[in-house]
Amino acid sequence: MKTEHLLIMRLSAMGDVAMLVPVTFSLARQYPNLRITVLSKPFARPFFENISDNVGFMETDINGEESGLHGLNVLYRRLSAKHFTAVADMHDVLRTKYLRMRFTIDQYRVEHIDKHRTDRQRLCRLGYKGMSPLPSAFDNYADVLARLGYPIECSFRSIFSEQRGEIRSLAPAIPEKKSFQQWIGIAPFAAHTGKIYPPDKMETVIDIITQRHPNSRIFLFGGGRKEQEIMNGWAEKNKQCICVAGTLKGLDKELSLMSYLDVMVSMDSANMHLASLVAIPVVSVWGATHPCAGFMGWGQSEENAVQVDLPCRPCSVFGKKACHRGDYACLNRIEPVEIADKVESILMRK
């Protein structure tokens, strides 16, 4: 009997790809005889290469040799040579629509994700929204698999079998963890302004936490060069802070460090999803976006979300749109002590 071989395509940003991990993990464990290949950008390899023996990974250079129509045809020939028996398009954008059209013409079993675009537009419109929660990204991914004949029950907990990665030799600035220290991660930035808590207020959050926990260590994650300069400034003023942004070479090392945290503070960003993949509770800060759009991290509780109820929220699914009020009240009205108190409640429970 021919071995079934499933191609899963998701070519987008890190957070979206990270949300595919719990579903792929559960699929691999529940269908051990199914071969699974995940097609994504090179950064995503550490997410998938060790989660199960029947899961493989393929990189695509969609901004280089495999860009444009010619590049997509090159990619299709590379994919079709693998003799897949089914294709799951978990992205549903122009590139993947073209690829799945080619697969459909060649009589592959093909299904694609329903992003509920009409419901998302309703959720983000001005005026009455209804605020009915949309299906989560995990549910949307699982629905594609079910339509291909692979229904699953999500059973994922952590990409590390014992919930912690290897921490030795990650970076010389990282101290040995003592039992009396709290290790707290803070990822204060995101791709879009509508999802970033004001940096001066976040610095106050750090001050409150370190005053409450003088033996704690604060690890600062994420951001580009300008953001790293801000975080380095915080670390210079507060000796309990360590800026690890840009110092950990590789996503696997970043995940390893996160697995040792007691709690992570993150915007609605990729770092929320990275911490979720190593079973770390996240205090998530939401501004223009909202958990009801379906992008809460895997296994995270909405009780740990910090947000302000405003009739205009959410105004965007991904936080890209400019604030039509002009003042980003959704973020500026969150007091630093609210975030610090959420961190405290998690530390107390642990």
Side-chain angles (χ1 to χ4, degrees), residues 10 12 19 24 26 40 102 108 127 150 154 171 188 213 228 257 280 308 321 327-328:
R10 183 82 211 205
S12 55
M19 296 182 82
T24 305
S26 303
S40 191
R102 294 289 308 269
Y108 288 79
Y150 306 113
C154 279
H213 299 280
Q228 288 175 25
L257 176 57
I280 299 304
V308 175
K321 297 178 181 178
D327 61 356
Y328 286 102

Side-chain angles (χ1 to χ4, degrees), residues 21-286:
V21 174
V23 175
T24 305
F25 174 94
S26 303
L27 174 70
R29 296 303 173 91
Q30 291 166 38
Y31 296 88
N33 296 322
L34 173 67
R35 291 178 60 200
I36 303 163
T37 295
V38 177
L39 177 73
S40 191
K41 296 178 182 178
F43 73 79
R45 182 176 293 277
F47 287 147
F48 300 99
E49 62 183 355
N50 294 315
I51 62 174
S52 182
D53 291 340
N54 59 330
V55 176
F57 183 80
M58 285 183 67
E59 298 180 2
T60 176
D61 184 14
I62 59 173
N63 296 316
E65 292 183 357
E66 293 173 342
S67 65
L69 186 59
H70 171 73
L72 287 174
N73 286 325
V74 171
L75 176 58
Y76 178 75
R77 288 194 293 270
R78 187 160 68 96
L79 293 171
S80 61
K82 299 292 183 180
H83 304 292
F84 298 107
T85 55
V87 178
D89 176 5
M90 302 297 198
H91 201 172
D92 191 34
V93 293
L94 194 58
R95 290 186 182 98
T96 59
K97 286 178 179 179
Y98 179 78
L99 290 171
R100 77 171 190 250
M101 178 194 72
R102 294 289 308 269
F103 280 117
T104 300
I105 290 171
D106 288 344
Q107 298 186 329
Y108 288 79
R109 290 160 49 209
V110 180
E111 291 289 348
H112 68 276
I113 191 171
D114 180 357
K115 291 185 174 179
H116 304 277
R117 288 186 172 93
T118 300
D119 291 331
R120 287 180 179 181
Q121 291 171 0
R122 171 190 53 77
L123 189 65
C124 297
R125 69 190 177 191
L126 292 174
Y128 179 72
K129 300 172 181 289
M131 294 304 291
S132 299
L134 303 186
S136 72
F138 310 106
D139 292 334
N140 291 335
Y141 291 152
D143 179 62
V144 177
L145 299 177
R147 284 186 272 119
L148 284 171
Y150 306 113
I152 63 167
E153 293 287 336
C154 279
S155 55
F156 176 82
R157 175 161 174 76
S158 170
I159 61 171
F160 297 123
S161 58
E162 296 182 0
Q163 300 172 32
R164 290 197 172 184
E166 176 59 58
I167 197 169
R168 286 175 294 182
S169 303
L170 283 180
I174 297 175
E176 180 184 355
K177 181 158 189 182
K178 304 294 185 181
S179 60
F180 59 85
Q181 290 180 336
Q182 295 83 22
W183 278 24
I184 300 162
I186 295 183
F189 296 105
H192 305 294
T193 303
K195 300 199 291 187
I196 301 175
Y197 190 56
D200 59 328
K201 288 177 176 283
M202 184 57 77
E203 187 175 10
T204 303
V205 173
I206 293 171
D207 290 339
I208 296 171
I209 293 173
T210 53
Q211 288 168 15
R212 290 176 176 178
H213 299 280
N215 289 325
S216 64
R217 292 292 181 270
I218 308 291
F219 295 91
L220 304 173
F221 291 86
R225 182 175 297 178
K226 291 182 179 179
E227 291 82 3
Q228 288 175 25
E229 289 176 1
I230 294 173
M231 293 186 287
N232 283 326
W234 295 346
E236 288 177 7
K237 289 187 286 185
N238 191 322
K239 300 305 181 184
Q240 290 170 245
C241 288
I242 300 172
C243 181
V244 296
T247 67
L248 300 178
K249 304 303 181 183
L251 182 59
D252 54 338
K253 292 182 173 59
E254 194 165 343
L255 289 165
S256 292
L257 176 57
M258 285 186 185
S259 72
Y260 281 81
L261 300 177
D262 295 295
V263 60
M264 169 69 90
V265 177
S266 175
M267 308 301 101
D268 170 22
S269 68
N271 282 290
M272 171 178 65
H273 298 294
L274 297 185
S276 300
L277 294 185
V278 291
I280 299 304
V282 178
V283 174
S284 53
V285 181
W286 301 76

